[in-house]
Amino acid sequence: MFQSLLTRRYLTSKVMPLLASAAVMLSVAMELITWSVMGGFLEQLIQSGRTLMGDVEITRPQRGFPHYEELMAALEADEWVVAASPTIDAFALVKLNAQQVRGCQIKGIDPESLDRVTGFFDTLYWVPRDEPMPRDKERKDPRLDPEKRETFEMLEDLGRNLYGIDVTTQSNRPQAVLGIEVFGKRGLRDPAGFVTDDFVFLPGFDVTLNVLPIDTSGGFLEPVARKLQIGNEFSSNIYEIDSQTIYVPLAFLQDMLKMDEAERVEQTGPIEFIYDDDGNPIGTKRPESVGVVPARVTSMLVRGGDDVPLEDLRARIEQIYHEFAQTKDDMPSVGLVDILTWEDRNATLIGAIKKETGLVLFIFGIISLTSVFLVLAIFWSMISERTKDIGILRALGASGPGVAWLWVRYGLIIGVVGSILGVCLAYLVITNINAIHNWLGEAFGIAIWDPSVYYFTEIPEDFSPMKAVIIGLAGIVSCGLGALIPAWRAARMDPVKALRFE
C-alpha cells in the first residue's frame, strides 16, 4: 500500500518526473516515426515493383524473342499463372516542341493484358472523377466538372486502347500515354491534388519519338522518328516512373524498331549458271528460299496467384519457357534470357533501404538511451532528497527489496506514461505526415520531401501496432533500467544514518 501512495505522491508533486516522462515520450515518438516512415518507404517500394512488372519478368533486352503470343498462351495455361503480357522496352528521344526534348523509356504494350498483370487502367490520370483529390479543397479539378465528363470519358477510352480519334483530322491514329511528370510539371500539378490553376493539359498534343533500331545480329540501323497523339497521361505515384516512361501501342513500337513480322529472302543451294541464246555464260544465281521472320518483344510480364511463393513461381516459369523454347528453333534458350522476380529487379535498392533502416534505428536507439541516464540522474537526486523518508520507511519495517521496488515501480510508471504519450504522438504525426508537410510548405515554404530525390510523390508511412508495442516496451524497459541503480542504493541505506540525514 505504501508503495502506491508514495509513487502517486512523488509523481504528482515534482516537475522532474514529468520532464522524464516527456523525454521518454519524445524518444518513443522519434523512433516510431522513423521506423514507420522508413518501413513505409520499403513497403511502398516493394509494392511498386510488383505493380510495375508483375511477379516475374522474362526479358531479353534489345534483341528480344519471337513467338510471344504462343508463349503467353502457354504461361496462362498454367494454374499458377493469373496473367501474362508482352512488352517492348526501348530508349527514345522525345520531343513535345522545339524547347522540350528529353530522353525517356518507351514501352510498347498491349493495354488489356498489361492491365491484367499490373492494373494499368487504374493509373490513367485524365478520367472522370466523382470525388475531389485529398488536397483539392476548392474542387478545382476539371475532372469533376459534369459538363466535361464526356471529354474525359473519351480520353479514358484513348488511354485504354492506345488508338483512337485525332482531334485535328478526326481520323483514327495511334496514341501515347505519358507519365504525368515527363515534361516537368511538378509544382504545377500534384497527384495528391491540384496546387494551382496553372497546370499543363497535354492530351491532344503531338509528341515525336526518335528511336534507334537494332537488327537481329545486334547491329544499329537507321534512326526512326514517328509522331503520335497524346491520348492520356498516367500517374503511378512513383516519381521516377512518372517522369521517364511513355506507353505506346506494341505493334507501333515493333514497326519502329523493325521487330515486327517480316518476309525473309535467302539465297541458298548450289550456284546456277545463266547462259544467253548462243550458249555463252552471262551470270550466276542461287535458288531463293522465302520465309517469314516472326515479330519479337523484349519482355513478358507474368502475374502469379497471391498464394504462390515467388521463387517457386519463377522456377515454374523457367520450366515452362524451357519446354516451349525446345519446340521452336528460333527461340533463345533459357541461358540467353533473364527470368527475374520483382525482388530481383529491385534487389540493390531494397537491400540498401533495409540496411539504412537498421542503421537509422540503431543510431536513434543509442540516442534514446539518454532516457536511461536521465531517469538514473533524476532518481539519484530524488533519493538524496528523500533519504530521511527512506529511513522512516525502513524504521517502520519496510524491507530493502520493498524500498527498491518502490523506486523501480516509480521508474516503470514514468516509462508507461511516457511510452503511451509517445505512441499517441507518433500516431498523430504518422497518419497526418503529408498534411503536416503540406502545411509547412504553405506556411513557411519548407519542402522537406522532394519527389525527384525520394522516388515517391508522397511521404510513405506504415504505422503498425506491432511496431508501437515494441518501441513502447523498449521505452518502459529503459526507464526500469534507469531506476535500478538508485533503487539498489535506496535499498542498502542504513535506517539509522538515513534518519540522521539533513
Side-chain angles (χ1 to χ4, degrees):
M1 179 63 73
F2 77 90
Q3 292 168 341
S4 299
L5 293 173
L6 289 176
T7 299
R8 185 170 65 251
R9 180 182 176 187
Y10 289 165
L11 191 63
T12 56
S13 62
K14 294 285 185 179
V15 70
M16 291 302 290
L18 300 179
L19 294 178
S21 295
V24 174
M25 176 188 72
L26 294 176
S27 296
V28 168
M30 178 179 63
E31 282 234 48
L32 189 52
I33 291 170
T34 302
W35 195 0
S36 296
V37 172
M38 296 292 287
F41 188 92
L42 180 60
E43 180 64 24
Q44 196 163 335
L45 177 65
I46 291 172
Q47 290 300 322
S48 69
R50 191 179 185 200
T51 299
L52 293 171
M53 63 165 282
D55 291 316
V56 178
E57 179 183 22
I58 305 171
T59 180
R60 192 187 188 203
Q62 285 85 46
R63 298 182 67 178
F65 52 86
H67 309 298
Y68 57 89
E69 292 179 337
E70 296 175 60
L71 176 60
M72 178 179 169
L75 288 167
E76 293 186 337
D78 190 86
E79 60 181 359
W80 283 11
V81 176
V82 174
S85 179
T87 66
I88 294 179
D89 295 291
F91 181 81
L93 286 177
V94 183
K95 184 174 78 170
L96 181 64
N97 51 48
Q99 286 75 37
Q100 292 179 296
V101 181
R102 59 166 304 172
C104 282
Q105 186 76 15
I106 307 300
K107 296 181 75 72
I109 63 169
D110 170 51
E112 186 176 346
S113 64
L114 184 68
D115 180 66
R116 295 199 304 269
V117 175
T118 67
F120 167 66
F121 293 162
D122 295 334
T123 67
L124 293 176
Y125 191 82
W126 297 110
V127 298
R129 289 189 63 89
D130 297 319
E131 297 296 330
M133 301 292 276
R135 285 162 50 196
D136 187 18
K137 306 300 183 183
E138 300 179 8
R139 299 179 67 90
K140 296 180 180 179
D141 192 337
R143 296 172 297 174
L144 300 170
D145 189 346
E147 296 181 1
K148 298 179 180 178
R149 188 174 187 87
E150 186 176 343
T151 299
F152 290 117
E153 286 176 349
M154 180 194 71
L155 294 178
E156 182 178 16
D157 186 62
L158 292 178
R160 284 173 172 263
N161 297 301
L162 293 183
Y163 190 80
I165 196 73
D166 185 316
V167 296
T168 304
T169 64
Q170 298 300 305
S171 59
N172 286 331
R173 62 183 294 202
Q175 306 287 316
V177 174
L178 277 63
I180 198 79
E181 300 288 353
V182 163
F183 286 105
K185 297 181 288 297
R186 66 181 182 276
L188 299 178
R189 182 178 62 207
D190 189 315
F194 282 78
V195 247
T196 174
D197 295 329
D198 187 21
F199 62 87
V200 181
F201 183 78
L202 292 181
F205 285 87
D206 278 352
V207 63
T208 303
L209 308 183
N210 295 268
V211 299
L212 189 62
I214 299 176
D215 62 23
T216 54
S217 63
F220 292 109
L221 303 175
E222 290 292 325
V224 177
R226 298 278 178 81
K227 277 188 178 183
L228 296 89
Q229 180 176 272
I230 300 174
N232 210 314
E233 295 178 275
F234 74 91
S235 172
S236 66
N237 287 331
I238 303 171
Y239 179 82
E240 189 167 330
I241 302 300
D242 293 346
S243 63
Q244 299 181 11
T245 307
I246 297 177
Y247 291 120
V248 299
L250 180 65
F252 179 86
L253 191 55
Q254 281 177 324
D255 180 57
M256 289 188 69
L257 295 173
K258 312 302 182 187
M259 298 180 71
D260 55 340
E261 184 177 275
E263 186 180 77
R264 176 181 59 196
V265 179
E266 294 181 342
Q267 292 184 339
T268 60
I271 297 176
E272 179 183 348
F273 290 92
I274 304 174
Y275 300 91
D276 60 15
D277 295 338
D278 297 328
N280 299 314
I282 59 174
T284 61
K285 70 175 183 178
R286 290 179 182 271
E288 291 185 347
S289 173
V290 179
V292 174
V293 178
R296 293 171 289 139
V297 296
T298 59
S299 299
M300 181 71 72
L301 308 182
V302 182
R303 167 77 72 177
D306 294 334
D307 56 344
V308 179
L310 200 57
E311 283 302 319
D312 292 348
L313 179 64
R314 191 197 67 79
R316 175 69 68 88
I317 290 172
E318 183 175 334
Q319 179 185 359
I320 295 172
Y321 181 88
H322 175 68
E323 293 174 353
F324 179 80
Q326 288 183 320
T327 66
K328 305 291 183 181
D329 294 335
D330 51 352
M331 281 291 287
S333 64
V334 170
L336 296 177
V337 299
D338 295 322
I339 301 179
L340 308 171
T341 67
W342 56 266
E343 286 185 343
D344 296 332
R345 274 291 191 196
N346 299 282
T348 302
L349 188 55
I350 290 175
I353 296 299
K354 285 182 177 178
K355 291 179 181 178
E356 186 176 343
T357 301
L359 179 61
V360 170
L361 287 175
F362 175 76
I363 293 173
F364 280 142
I366 295 298
I367 295 173
S368 297
L369 284 177
T370 54
S371 60
V372 175
F373 300 101
L374 180 63
V375 171
L376 189 154
I378 290 174
F379 279 29
W380 191 276
S381 174
M382 290 183 64
I383 286 172
S384 298
E385 293 180 2
R386 301 291 180 176
T387 300
K388 197 167 186 178
D389 293 352
I390 295 171
I392 294 173
L393 290 174
R394 295 298 305 278
L396 292 174
S399 64
V403 173
W405 173 241
L406 166 65
W407 296 99
V408 172
R409 174 194 176 108
Y410 192 10
L412 291 174
I413 290 177
I414 288 177
V416 169
V417 173
S419 294
I420 291 175
L421 293 176
V423 169
C424 293
L425 176 62
Y427 177 79
L428 290 174
V429 172
I430 292 167
T431 53
N432 297 281
I433 193 165
N434 283 288
I436 294 172
H437 181 264
N438 296 336
W439 176 79
L440 289 173
E442 294 172 0
F444 304 103
I446 300 174
I448 301 171
W449 187 268
D450 184 354
S452 63
V453 175
Y454 294 109
Y455 203 76
F456 298 110
T457 56
E458 290 189 329
I459 303 175
E461 52 84 13
D462 180 31
F463 183 85
S464 166
M466 181 58 66
K467 293 177 183 177
V469 169
I470 293 173
I471 298 296
L473 287 176
I476 295 171
V477 170
S478 66
C479 288
L481 292 175
L484 282 178
I485 295 177
W488 175 78
R489 178 192 175 202
R492 288 177 57 84
M493 278 188 181
D494 186 330
V496 176
K497 292 182 180 179
L499 287 171
R500 294 172 58 191
F501 178 81
E502 290 293 339

